[in-house]
Structure formats: C-alpha cells, structure tokens
CSV table of all heavy atoms in Angstrom, one decimal:
chain,number,residue,atom,x,y,z
A,904,MET,N,-5.5,4.1,-8.0
A,904,MET,CA,-5.5,2.8,-7.5
A,904,MET,C,-4.7,2.7,-6.2
A,904,MET,O,-3.6,3.2,-6.1
A,904,MET,CB,-4.9,1.8,-8.6
A,904,MET,CG,-5.0,0.4,-8.0
A,904,MET,SD,-4.0,-0.7,-8.9
A,904,MET,CE,-2.4,-0.3,-8.1
A,905,MET,N,-5.3,2.1,-5.3
A,905,MET,CA,-4.6,1.9,-4.0
A,905,MET,C,-3.8,0.6,-4.0
A,905,MET,O,-4.4,-0.5,-4.3
A,905,MET,CB,-5.5,1.9,-2.9
A,905,MET,CG,-6.3,3.2,-2.7
A,905,MET,SD,-7.4,3.2,-1.3
A,905,MET,CE,-8.3,1.8,-1.4
A,906,SER,N,-2.6,0.6,-3.8
A,906,SER,CA,-1.8,-0.7,-3.8
A,906,SER,C,-1.6,-1.3,-2.4
A,906,SER,O,-1.2,-2.4,-2.3
A,906,SER,CB,-0.4,-0.5,-4.5
A,906,SER,OG,0.3,0.5,-3.7
A,907,TRP,N,-1.9,-0.5,-1.4
A,907,TRP,CA,-1.6,-1.0,-0.1
A,907,TRP,C,-2.4,-2.3,0.3
A,907,TRP,O,-1.8,-3.0,1.1
A,907,TRP,CB,-1.8,0.1,1.0
A,907,TRP,CG,-3.2,0.6,1.2
A,907,TRP,CD1,-3.8,1.7,0.5
A,907,TRP,CD2,-4.2,0.1,2.0
A,907,TRP,NE1,-5.1,1.8,0.9
A,907,TRP,CE2,-5.3,0.9,1.9
A,907,TRP,CE3,-4.2,-0.9,3.0
A,907,TRP,CZ2,-6.5,0.6,2.6
A,907,TRP,CZ3,-5.4,-1.2,3.7
A,907,TRP,CH2,-6.5,-0.4,3.5
A,908,PRO,N,-3.6,-2.5,-0.1
A,908,PRO,CA,-4.2,-3.8,0.2
A,908,PRO,C,-3.4,-5.0,-0.2
A,908,PRO,O,-3.3,-6.0,0.5
A,908,PRO,CB,-5.5,-3.8,-0.4
A,908,PRO,CG,-5.9,-2.3,-0.5
A,908,PRO,CD,-4.6,-1.7,-0.8
A,909,ALA,N,-2.7,-4.9,-1.4
A,909,ALA,CA,-1.8,-6.0,-1.9
A,909,ALA,C,-0.6,-6.1,-1.0
A,909,ALA,O,-0.1,-7.2,-0.8
A,909,ALA,CB,-1.4,-5.7,-3.3
A,910,GLU,N,0.0,-5.0,-0.6
A,910,GLU,CA,1.1,-5.0,0.3
A,910,GLU,C,0.8,-5.7,1.6
A,910,GLU,O,1.5,-6.5,2.2
A,910,GLU,CB,1.7,-3.7,0.5
A,910,GLU,CG,2.2,-3.1,-0.9
A,910,GLU,CD,2.5,-1.6,-0.8
A,910,GLU,OE1,2.5,-1.0,0.3
A,910,GLU,OE2,2.8,-1.0,-1.8
A,911,VAL,N,-0.4,-5.3,2.2
A,911,VAL,CA,-0.9,-5.9,3.5
A,911,VAL,C,-1.1,-7.4,3.3
A,911,VAL,O,-0.7,-8.2,4.1
A,911,VAL,CB,-2.1,-5.2,4.0
A,911,VAL,CG1,-2.7,-5.9,5.2
A,911,VAL,CG2,-1.8,-3.8,4.3
A,912,PHE,N,-1.8,-7.7,2.2
A,912,PHE,CA,-2.0,-9.1,1.9
A,912,PHE,C,-0.8,-9.9,1.9
A,912,PHE,O,-0.7,-11.1,2.4
A,912,PHE,CB,-2.8,-9.3,0.6
A,912,PHE,CG,-3.1,-10.7,0.2
A,912,PHE,CD1,-4.0,-11.5,0.9
A,912,PHE,CD2,-2.3,-11.3,-0.8
A,912,PHE,CE1,-4.3,-12.8,0.6
A,912,PHE,CE2,-2.6,-12.6,-1.1
A,912,PHE,CZ,-3.5,-13.4,-0.5
A,913,SER,N,0.2,-9.4,1.2
A,913,SER,CA,1.5,-10.2,1.0
A,913,SER,C,2.2,-10.4,2.4
A,913,SER,O,2.7,-11.5,2.6
A,913,SER,CB,2.5,-9.5,0.1
A,913,SER,OG,3.0,-8.3,0.7
A,914,PHE,N,2.1,-9.5,3.3
A,914,PHE,CA,2.6,-9.7,4.6
A,914,PHE,C,1.8,-10.5,5.5
A,914,PHE,O,2.3,-11.2,6.4
A,914,PHE,CB,2.9,-8.3,5.3
A,914,PHE,CG,4.0,-7.6,4.7
A,914,PHE,CD1,3.9,-6.4,4.0
A,914,PHE,CD2,5.4,-8.0,4.9
A,914,PHE,CE1,4.9,-5.7,3.4
A,914,PHE,CE2,6.4,-7.3,4.4
A,914,PHE,CZ,6.2,-6.2,3.6
A,915,GLN,N,0.5,-10.5,5.4
A,915,GLN,CA,-0.4,-11.2,6.3
A,915,GLN,C,-1.1,-12.5,5.7
A,915,GLN,O,-1.8,-13.2,6.3
A,915,GLN,CB,-1.6,-10.3,6.6
A,915,GLN,CG,-1.2,-9.0,7.3
A,915,GLN,CD,-0.7,-9.3,8.7
A,915,GLN,OE1,-1.1,-10.2,9.4
A,915,GLN,NE2,0.3,-8.5,9.2
A,916,ARG,N,-0.5,-12.9,4.5
A,916,ARG,CA,-1.1,-14.1,3.8
A,916,ARG,C,-1.2,-15.3,4.7
A,916,ARG,O,-2.3,-16.0,4.8
A,916,ARG,CB,-0.3,-14.4,2.6
A,916,ARG,CG,-0.8,-15.7,1.9
A,916,ARG,CD,0.1,-15.9,0.7
A,916,ARG,NE,-0.7,-15.5,-0.5
A,916,ARG,CZ,-0.2,-15.5,-1.7
A,916,ARG,NH1,1.0,-15.7,-1.9
A,916,ARG,NH2,-1.0,-15.2,-2.7
A,917,ALA,N,-0.1,-15.7,5.3
A,917,ALA,CA,-0.1,-16.9,6.1
A,917,ALA,C,-1.0,-16.8,7.3
A,917,ALA,O,-1.8,-17.8,7.6
A,917,ALA,CB,1.3,-17.2,6.7
A,918,ASP,N,-1.1,-15.7,8.0
A,918,ASP,CA,-2.1,-15.5,9.1
A,918,ASP,C,-3.5,-15.5,8.6
A,918,ASP,O,-4.4,-16.0,9.3
A,918,ASP,CB,-1.8,-14.2,9.8
A,918,ASP,CG,-0.5,-14.3,10.7
A,918,ASP,OD1,-0.1,-15.5,11.0
A,918,ASP,OD2,0.0,-13.3,11.1
A,919,LEU,N,-3.7,-14.9,7.4
A,919,LEU,CA,-5.1,-14.9,6.9
A,919,LEU,C,-5.6,-16.3,6.7
A,919,LEU,O,-6.7,-16.7,7.0
A,919,LEU,CB,-5.2,-14.2,5.5
A,919,LEU,CG,-5.4,-12.7,5.7
A,919,LEU,CD1,-5.3,-12.0,4.3
A,919,LEU,CD2,-6.7,-12.3,6.3
A,920,GLN,N,-4.7,-17.2,6.2
A,920,GLN,CA,-5.0,-18.6,6.0
A,920,GLN,C,-5.3,-19.4,7.2
A,920,GLN,O,-6.2,-20.2,7.3
A,920,GLN,CB,-4.0,-19.3,5.1
A,920,GLN,CG,-4.0,-18.7,3.7
A,920,GLN,CD,-2.8,-19.3,2.9
A,920,GLN,OE1,-1.8,-19.8,3.5
A,920,GLN,NE2,-2.9,-19.3,1.6
A,921,SER,N,-4.5,-19.1,8.2
A,921,SER,CA,-4.5,-20.0,9.5
A,921,SER,C,-5.4,-19.3,10.6
A,921,SER,O,-5.9,-20.1,11.5
A,921,SER,CB,-3.1,-20.2,10.0
A,921,SER,OG,-2.5,-19.0,10.3
A,922,ARG,N,-5.6,-18.0,10.5
A,922,ARG,CA,-6.3,-17.3,11.6
A,922,ARG,C,-7.4,-16.4,11.0
A,922,ARG,O,-7.6,-15.3,11.6
A,922,ARG,CB,-5.3,-16.6,12.5
A,922,ARG,CG,-4.3,-17.4,13.1
A,922,ARG,CD,-3.2,-16.7,13.9
A,922,ARG,NE,-3.7,-15.5,14.5
A,922,ARG,CZ,-3.0,-14.4,14.6
A,922,ARG,NH1,-1.8,-14.2,14.1
A,922,ARG,NH2,-3.6,-13.4,15.2
A,923,TRP,N,-8.1,-16.8,10.0
A,923,TRP,CA,-9.1,-16.0,9.3
A,923,TRP,C,-10.0,-15.3,10.3
A,923,TRP,O,-10.4,-14.2,10.2
A,923,TRP,CB,-9.9,-16.8,8.3
A,923,TRP,CG,-10.9,-16.1,7.5
A,923,TRP,CD1,-12.2,-16.2,7.8
A,923,TRP,CD2,-10.8,-15.3,6.5
A,923,TRP,NE1,-12.9,-15.4,6.9
A,923,TRP,CE2,-12.0,-14.8,6.0
A,923,TRP,CE3,-9.7,-14.8,5.7
A,923,TRP,CZ2,-12.3,-13.9,5.0
A,923,TRP,CZ3,-9.9,-13.9,4.6
A,923,TRP,CH2,-11.2,-13.5,4.3
A,924,GLU,N,-10.6,-16.1,11.3
A,924,GLU,CA,-11.6,-15.6,12.2
A,924,GLU,C,-11.0,-14.5,13.2
A,924,GLU,O,-11.7,-13.9,13.9
A,924,GLU,CB,-12.2,-16.7,13.0
A,924,GLU,CG,-13.0,-17.7,12.1
A,924,GLU,CD,-14.2,-16.9,11.4
A,924,GLU,OE1,-14.8,-16.1,12.0
A,924,GLU,OE2,-14.5,-17.2,10.2
A,925,ASP,N,-9.7,-14.5,13.4
A,925,ASP,CA,-9.1,-13.5,14.3
A,925,ASP,C,-9.2,-12.1,13.8
A,925,ASP,O,-8.9,-11.2,14.5
A,925,ASP,CB,-7.6,-13.9,14.6
A,925,ASP,CG,-7.5,-15.1,15.4
A,925,ASP,OD1,-8.5,-15.6,16.0
A,925,ASP,OD2,-6.4,-15.6,15.5
A,926,TYR,N,-9.4,-12.0,12.5
A,926,TYR,CA,-9.5,-10.6,11.9
A,926,TYR,C,-11.0,-10.2,11.8
A,926,TYR,O,-11.8,-11.0,11.6
A,926,TYR,CB,-8.9,-10.6,10.5
A,926,TYR,CG,-7.4,-10.8,10.4
A,926,TYR,CD1,-6.9,-12.1,10.3
A,926,TYR,CD2,-6.6,-9.8,10.6
A,926,TYR,CE1,-5.6,-12.3,10.2
A,926,TYR,CE2,-5.2,-9.9,10.5
A,926,TYR,CZ,-4.7,-11.2,10.3
A,926,TYR,OH,-3.4,-11.4,10.3
A,927,GLY,N,-11.3,-8.9,12.0
A,927,GLY,CA,-12.6,-8.4,11.9
A,927,GLY,C,-13.0,-8.5,10.4
A,927,GLY,O,-12.2,-8.4,9.5
A,928,ALA,N,-14.3,-8.5,10.1
A,928,ALA,CA,-14.8,-8.6,8.7
A,928,ALA,C,-14.3,-7.6,7.8
A,928,ALA,O,-13.9,-7.8,6.7
A,928,ALA,CB,-16.3,-8.7,8.7
A,929,PRO,N,-14.3,-6.3,8.2
A,929,PRO,CA,-13.8,-5.2,7.3
A,929,PRO,C,-12.3,-5.4,7.0
A,929,PRO,O,-11.9,-5.2,5.9
A,929,PRO,CB,-14.1,-3.9,8.1
A,929,PRO,CG,-15.1,-4.2,9.1
A,929,PRO,CD,-14.9,-5.6,9.5
A,930,THR,N,-11.6,-5.7,8.0
A,930,THR,CA,-10.1,-6.0,7.8
A,930,THR,C,-9.9,-7.1,6.9
A,930,THR,O,-9.1,-7.1,6.0
A,930,THR,CB,-9.4,-6.2,9.2
A,930,THR,OG1,-9.6,-5.1,10.0
A,930,THR,CG2,-7.9,-6.4,9.0
A,931,ARG,N,-10.6,-8.2,7.0
A,931,ARG,CA,-10.5,-9.4,6.2
A,931,ARG,C,-10.9,-9.0,4.7
A,931,ARG,O,-10.2,-9.5,3.8
A,931,ARG,CB,-11.5,-10.5,6.6
A,931,ARG,CG,-11.1,-11.2,7.8
A,931,ARG,CD,-11.8,-12.5,8.1
A,931,ARG,NE,-13.3,-12.3,8.0
A,931,ARG,CZ,-14.1,-12.5,9.0
A,931,ARG,NH1,-13.7,-12.8,10.2
A,931,ARG,NH2,-15.4,-12.3,8.8
A,932,MET,N,-11.9,-8.2,4.5
A,932,MET,CA,-12.3,-7.9,3.2
A,932,MET,C,-11.2,-7.0,2.5
A,932,MET,O,-10.9,-7.2,1.3
A,932,MET,CB,-13.6,-7.1,3.2
A,932,MET,CG,-14.8,-8.0,3.5
A,932,MET,SD,-14.9,-9.5,2.6
A,932,MET,CE,-15.2,-8.8,1.0
A,933,VAL,N,-10.6,-6.1,3.2
A,933,VAL,CA,-9.6,-5.2,2.6
A,933,VAL,C,-8.4,-6.0,2.2
A,933,VAL,O,-7.8,-6.0,1.1
A,933,VAL,CB,-9.2,-4.1,3.6
A,933,VAL,CG1,-7.9,-3.4,3.1
A,933,VAL,CG2,-10.3,-3.1,3.7
A,934,MET,N,-8.0,-6.9,3.2
A,934,MET,CA,-6.8,-7.7,3.0
A,934,MET,C,-7.0,-8.8,1.9
A,934,MET,O,-6.1,-9.0,1.0
A,934,MET,CB,-6.3,-8.4,4.2
A,934,MET,CG,-5.8,-7.4,5.2
A,934,MET,SD,-4.8,-8.0,6.5
A,934,MET,CE,-5.8,-9.2,7.3
A,935,ALA,N,-8.2,-9.3,1.8
A,935,ALA,CA,-8.5,-10.3,0.7
A,935,ALA,C,-8.6,-9.6,-0.6
A,935,ALA,O,-8.2,-10.2,-1.6
A,935,ALA,CB,-9.8,-11.1,1.0
A,936,THR,N,-9.1,-8.4,-0.6
A,936,THR,CA,-9.1,-7.7,-1.9
A,936,THR,C,-7.7,-7.5,-2.5
A,936,THR,O,-7.5,-7.4,-3.7
A,936,THR,CB,-9.7,-6.3,-1.6
A,936,THR,OG1,-11.1,-6.5,-1.2
A,936,THR,CG2,-9.8,-5.4,-3.0
A,937,GLY,N,-6.7,-7.4,-1.6
A,937,GLY,CA,-5.3,-7.2,-2.0
A,937,GLY,C,-4.8,-8.4,-2.9
A,937,GLY,O,-3.9,-8.3,-3.7
A,938,ALA,N,-5.4,-9.6,-2.7
A,938,ALA,CA,-5.1,-10.8,-3.5
A,938,ALA,C,-5.5,-10.6,-5.0
A,938,ALA,O,-5.0,-11.2,-5.8
A,938,ALA,CB,-5.7,-12.0,-2.9
A,939,LEU,N,-6.4,-9.6,-5.2
A,939,LEU,CA,-7.0,-9.4,-6.6
A,939,LEU,C,-6.2,-8.4,-7.4
A,939,LEU,O,-6.4,-8.3,-8.6
A,939,LEU,CB,-8.4,-9.0,-6.5
A,939,LEU,CG,-9.4,-9.9,-5.7
A,939,LEU,CD1,-10.8,-9.3,-5.6
A,939,LEU,CD2,-9.4,-11.3,-6.4
A,940,ILE,N,-5.2,-7.8,-6.8
A,940,ILE,CA,-4.4,-6.7,-7.4
A,940,ILE,C,-3.2,-7.5,-8.1
A,940,ILE,O,-2.5,-8.2,-7.5
A,940,ILE,CB,-3.9,-5.7,-6.5
A,940,ILE,CG1,-5.1,-5.0,-5.9
A,940,ILE,CG2,-3.0,-4.7,-7.2
A,940,ILE,CD1,-4.8,-4.0,-4.7
A,941,SER,N,-3.1,-7.2,-9.4
A,941,SER,CA,-2.0,-7.9,-10.2
A,941,SER,C,-0.7,-7.2,-10.0
A,941,SER,O,-0.6,-6.1,-9.6
A,941,SER,CB,-2.4,-7.9,-11.7
A,941,SER,OG,-2.2,-6.6,-12.2
A,942,ALA,N,0.4,-8.0,-10.4
A,942,ALA,CA,1.7,-7.4,-10.4
A,942,ALA,C,1.9,-6.2,-11.3
A,942,ALA,O,2.5,-5.3,-10.9
A,942,ALA,CB,2.7,-8.5,-10.8
A,943,GLY,N,1.1,-6.3,-12.5
A,943,GLY,CA,1.1,-5.1,-13.3
A,943,GLY,C,0.5,-3.8,-12.7
A,943,GLY,O,1.1,-2.7,-12.9
A,944,ASP,N,-0.5,-4.0,-11.9
A,944,ASP,CA,-1.1,-2.9,-11.2
A,944,ASP,C,-0.1,-2.4,-10.1
A,944,ASP,O,0.0,-1.2,-10.0
A,944,ASP,CB,-2.4,-3.4,-10.5
A,944,ASP,CG,-3.5,-3.7,-11.4
A,944,ASP,OD1,-3.5,-3.2,-12.5
A,944,ASP,OD2,-4.4,-4.5,-11.0
A,945,LEU,N,0.6,-3.3,-9.5
A,945,LEU,CA,1.6,-2.8,-8.5
A,945,LEU,C,2.7,-2.1,-9.2
A,945,LEU,O,3.2,-1.1,-8.6
A,945,LEU,CB,2.1,-4.0,-7.7
A,945,LEU,CG,1.2,-4.6,-6.7
A,945,LEU,CD1,1.8,-5.9,-6.1
A,945,LEU,CD2,0.8,-3.6,-5.6
A,946,VAL,N,3.2,-2.5,-10.3
A,946,VAL,CA,4.2,-1.8,-11.0
A,946,VAL,C,3.8,-0.4,-11.5
A,946,VAL,O,4.5,0.6,-11.3
A,946,VAL,CB,4.7,-2.6,-12.2
A,946,VAL,CG1,5.6,-1.8,-13.1
A,946,VAL,CG2,5.4,-3.9,-11.8
A,947,ARG,N,2.6,-0.3,-11.9
A,947,ARG,CA,2.0,1.0,-12.4
A,947,ARG,C,1.9,1.9,-11.1
A,947,ARG,O,2.2,3.2,-11.2
A,947,ARG,CB,0.7,0.9,-13.0
A,947,ARG,CG,0.8,0.5,-14.4
A,947,ARG,CD,-0.5,0.6,-15.2
A,947,ARG,NE,-1.6,-0.3,-14.7
A,947,ARG,CZ,-1.7,-1.6,-15.1
A,947,ARG,NH1,-0.8,-2.1,-16.0
A,947,ARG,NH2,-2.6,-2.4,-14.6
A,948,ALA,N,1.4,1.4,-10.0
A,948,ALA,CA,1.3,2.3,-8.8
A,948,ALA,C,2.6,2.7,-8.3
A,948,ALA,O,2.8,3.8,-7.9
A,948,ALA,CB,0.6,1.4,-7.7
A,949,ASP,N,3.7,1.8,-8.4
A,949,ASP,CA,5.0,2.2,-8.0
A,949,ASP,C,5.6,3.3,-8.9
A,949,ASP,O,6.2,4.2,-8.4
A,949,ASP,CB,5.9,1.0,-8.0
A,949,ASP,CG,7.2,1.3,-7.3
A,949,ASP,OD1,7.1,1.8,-6.2
A,949,ASP,OD2,8.3,0.9,-7.9
A,950,ARG,N,5.2,3.2,-10.2
A,950,ARG,CA,5.7,4.3,-11.1
A,950,ARG,C,5.1,5.6,-10.8
A,950,ARG,O,5.7,6.7,-10.8
A,950,ARG,CB,5.5,3.9,-12.5
A,950,ARG,CG,6.4,2.8,-13.0
A,950,ARG,CD,6.1,2.4,-14.5
A,950,ARG,NE,6.9,1.2,-14.8
A,950,ARG,CZ,6.7,0.5,-15.8
A,950,ARG,NH1,5.6,0.6,-16.5
A,950,ARG,NH2,7.5,-0.5,-16.1
A,951,VAL,N,3.8,5.6,-10.5
A,951,VAL,CA,3.1,6.8,-10.1
A,951,VAL,C,3.7,7.4,-8.8
A,951,VAL,O,3.9,8.6,-8.7
A,951,VAL,CB,1.6,6.6,-10.0
A,951,VAL,CG1,0.9,7.7,-9.4
A,951,VAL,CG2,1.0,6.3,-11.4
A,952,ARG,N,3.9,6.5,-7.8
A,952,ARG,CA,4.5,6.9,-6.6
A,952,ARG,C,5.9,7.5,-6.8
A,952,ARG,O,6.2,8.6,-6.2
A,952,ARG,CB,4.6,5.7,-5.7
A,952,ARG,CG,4.2,5.9,-4.2
A,952,ARG,CD,4.5,4.8,-3.3
A,952,ARG,NE,4.5,3.5,-4.0
A,952,ARG,CZ,3.7,2.4,-3.7
A,952,ARG,NH1,2.7,2.6,-2.9
A,952,ARG,NH2,3.8,1.3,-4.3
A,953,GLN,N,6.7,7.0,-7.6
A,953,GLN,CA,8.0,7.5,-8.0
A,953,GLN,C,7.9,8.8,-8.6
A,953,GLN,O,8.7,9.7,-8.3
A,953,GLN,CB,8.8,6.5,-8.8
A,953,GLN,CG,10.2,6.9,-9.2
A,953,GLN,CD,11.2,6.9,-8.1
A,953,GLN,OE1,10.8,6.7,-6.9
A,953,GLN,NE2,12.4,7.3,-8.4
A,954,ALA,N,7.0,8.9,-9.6
A,954,ALA,CA,6.9,10.3,-10.3
A,954,ALA,C,6.4,11.3,-9.3
A,954,ALA,O,6.9,12.4,-9.3
A,954,ALA,CB,5.8,10.1,-11.4
A,955,GLY,N,5.5,11.0,-8.4
A,955,GLY,CA,5.1,12.0,-7.4
A,955,GLY,C,6.2,12.4,-6.4
A,955,GLY,O,6.4,13.5,-6.1
A,956,ARG,N,7.0,11.4,-6.0
A,956,ARG,CA,8.1,11.6,-5.1
A,956,ARG,C,9.1,12.6,-5.8
A,956,ARG,O,9.6,13.5,-5.2
A,956,ARG,CB,8.8,10.3,-4.8
A,956,ARG,CG,9.9,10.4,-3.7
A,956,ARG,CD,10.5,9.1,-3.4
A,956,ARG,NE,11.4,8.7,-4.4
A,956,ARG,CZ,12.7,9.2,-4.6
A,956,ARG,NH1,13.1,10.1,-3.9
A,956,ARG,NH2,13.4,8.7,-5.6
A,957,LEU,N,9.4,12.3,-7.1
A,957,LEU,CA,10.4,13.1,-7.8
A,957,LEU,C,9.8,14.6,-8.0
A,957,LEU,O,10.6,15.5,-7.9
A,957,LEU,CB,10.7,12.5,-9.1
A,957,LEU,CG,11.5,11.2,-9.1
A,957,LEU,CD1,11.7,10.6,-10.5
A,957,LEU,CD2,12.9,11.5,-8.4
A,958,ALA,N,8.5,14.7,-8.2
A,958,ALA,CA,7.9,16.0,-8.4
A,958,ALA,C,8.0,16.8,-7.1
A,958,ALA,O,8.3,18.0,-7.1
A,958,ALA,CB,6.5,15.9,-8.8
A,959,ILE,N,7.7,16.1,-6.0
A,959,ILE,CA,7.8,16.8,-4.7
A,959,ILE,C,9.2,17.2,-4.3
A,959,ILE,O,9.5,18.3,-3.9
A,959,ILE,CB,7.2,15.9,-3.6
A,959,ILE,CG1,5.7,15.8,-3.7
A,959,ILE,CG2,7.5,16.4,-2.2
A,959,ILE,CD1,5.0,14.8,-2.9
A,960,LEU,N,10.2,16.3,-4.7
A,960,LEU,CA,11.6,16.6,-4.4
A,960,LEU,C,12.1,17.9,-5.2
A,960,LEU,O,12.8,18.7,-4.8
A,960,LEU,CB,12.5,15.4,-4.7
A,960,LEU,CG,12.5,14.3,-3.7
A,960,LEU,CD1,13.3,13.1,-4.3
A,960,LEU,CD2,13.1,14.8,-2.4
A,961,GLU,N,11.6,17.9,-6.5
A,961,GLU,CA,11.9,19.1,-7.4
A,961,GLU,C,11.2,20.3,-6.8
A,961,GLU,O,11.9,21.4,-6.8
A,961,GLU,CB,11.5,18.8,-8.7
A,961,GLU,CG,11.8,19.9,-9.7
A,961,GLU,CD,11.3,19.5,-11.2
A,961,GLU,OE1,11.4,18.3,-11.6
A,961,GLU,OE2,10.9,20.5,-11.9
A,962,LEU,N,10.0,20.2,-6.4
A,962,LEU,CA,9.3,21.4,-5.9
A,962,LEU,C,9.9,21.9,-4.6
A,962,LEU,O,10.1,23.1,-4.4
A,962,LEU,CB,7.8,21.0,-5.6
A,962,LEU,CG,6.9,22.1,-5.1
A,962,LEU,CD1,6.7,23.2,-6.1
A,962,LEU,CD2,5.6,21.5,-4.6
A,963,LEU,N,10.3,21.0,-3.7
A,963,LEU,CA,10.9,21.4,-2.4
A,963,LEU,C,12.5,21.3,-2.4
A,963,LEU,O,13.0,21.4,-1.3
A,963,LEU,CB,10.3,20.5,-1.3
A,963,LEU,CG,8.8,20.6,-1.2
A,963,LEU,CD1,8.4,19.6,-0.1
A,963,LEU,CD2,8.3,22.0,-0.9
A,964,GLY,N,13.1,21.3,-3.5
A,964,GLY,CA,14.6,21.1,-3.6
A,964,GLY,C,15.3,22.2,-2.9
A,964,GLY,O,16.4,22.1,-2.4
A,965,GLU,N,14.8,23.4,-3.0
A,965,GLU,CA,15.5,24.6,-2.5
A,965,GLU,C,14.9,25.0,-1.0
A,965,GLU,O,15.4,25.9,-0.5
A,965,GLU,CB,15.3,25.8,-3.4
A,965,GLU,CG,15.9,25.6,-4.7
A,965,GLU,CD,17.4,25.4,-4.7
A,965,GLU,OE1,18.1,26.1,-4.0
A,965,GLU,OE2,17.8,24.5,-5.5
A,966,VAL,N,14.1,24.2,-0.5
A,966,VAL,CA,13.4,24.5,0.8
A,966,VAL,C,14.3,23.8,1.9
A,966,VAL,O,14.7,22.7,1.8
A,966,VAL,CB,12.0,23.9,0.8
A,966,VAL,CG1,11.4,24.1,2.2
A,966,VAL,CG2,11.1,24.6,-0.2
A,967,ASP,N,14.7,24.7,2.9
A,967,ASP,CA,15.5,24.2,4.0
A,967,ASP,C,14.6,23.8,5.2
A,967,ASP,O,15.0,22.9,5.9
A,967,ASP,CB,16.5,25.3,4.5
A,967,ASP,CG,17.5,25.6,3.5
A,967,ASP,OD1,18.0,24.6,2.8
A,967,ASP,OD2,17.9,26.7,3.4
A,968,ALA,N,13.4,24.4,5.3
A,968,ALA,CA,12.5,24.1,6.4
A,968,ALA,C,11.1,24.2,5.9
A,968,ALA,O,10.8,25.1,5.1
A,968,ALA,CB,12.8,25.0,7.6
A,969,LEU,N,10.3,23.4,6.4
A,969,LEU,CA,8.8,23.5,6.1
A,969,LEU,C,8.1,23.6,7.4
A,969,LEU,O,8.1,22.7,8.3
A,969,LEU,CB,8.4,22.2,5.3
A,969,LEU,CG,7.0,22.2,4.8
A,969,LEU,CD1,6.7,23.3,3.8
A,969,LEU,CD2,6.7,20.8,4.2
A,970,ILE,N,7.5,24.7,7.6
A,970,ILE,CA,6.8,25.0,8.8
A,970,ILE,C,5.2,24.9,8.7
A,970,ILE,O,4.7,25.5,7.7
A,970,ILE,CB,7.1,26.5,9.3
A,970,ILE,CG1,8.6,26.5,9.6
A,970,ILE,CG2,6.4,26.8,10.7
A,970,ILE,CD1,9.1,27.9,9.9
A,971,THR,N,4.6,24.1,9.5
A,971,THR,CA,3.1,24.0,9.4
A,971,THR,C,2.5,24.2,10.7
A,971,THR,O,3.2,24.1,11.8
A,971,THR,CB,2.8,22.5,8.9
A,971,THR,OG1,3.3,21.6,9.8
A,971,THR,CG2,3.4,22.2,7.5
A,972,PRO,N,1.2,24.5,10.7
A,972,PRO,CA,0.6,24.7,12.1
A,972,PRO,C,0.5,23.4,12.9
A,972,PRO,O,0.5,22.4,12.4
A,972,PRO,CB,-0.8,25.2,11.7
A,972,PRO,CG,-1.0,24.9,10.2
A,972,PRO,CD,0.3,24.6,9.7
C-alpha cells in the first residue's frame, strides 16, 4: 500500500479545496485518493516502513561505505 497520497493530501488539503482547478487532473486524482486512506492503513504502512528501515540498518550495520555506479 502506498501511503504517500494521504501524506500529500494532508499537506495540500486547504489548497485542494480553494484552488482545485489549479491542479492538473492526474494530480488532483492522486491527492484526492489520499483522503480515502484510513489512519489504520497509515499506521500499518508506518510499521512496514519501520521494519524495512531496521532490516536495512542491520544488513548495512558493518558497512562503512557504499559505492555504486
């Protein structure tokens, strides 16, 4: 589940109400979809994010540098 539409909606709520037409249709749809995500969904997403973060920290705990192309 993607929680970012709910986060965007929470920050843009006032502007969406007062300036709906200033946003493009795809942007409006994504942000409006964020209103449909429940608090329980956000809590679950945050728990998954936290578990992933801890797993990555454990995996890379002994790494001093990460070199990528």
Side-chain angles (χ1 to χ4, degrees):
M904 183 198 78
M905 297 184 309
S906 63
W907 65 268
E910 295 168 10
V911 170
F912 176 76
S913 71
F914 287 110
Q915 299 292 325
R916 174 183 257 170
D918 284 341
L919 275 174
Q920 291 173 339
S921 64
R922 299 175 36 216
W923 179 260
E924 294 299 324
D925 290 348
Y926 294 94
T930 302
R931 287 192 310 246
M932 291 307 297
V933 168
M934 291 195 310
T936 301
L939 304 175
I940 298 173
S941 72
D944 292 336
L945 288 175
V946 169
R947 279 191 295 278
D949 192 48
R950 287 180 181 157
V951 169
R952 221 182 341 238
Q953 178 71 357
R956 187 182 74 77
L957 292 174
I959 289 171
L960 285 174
E961 183 178 324
L962 180 68
L963 299 176
E965 300 295 320
V966 175
D967 292 324
L969 186 62
I970 300 171
T971 63

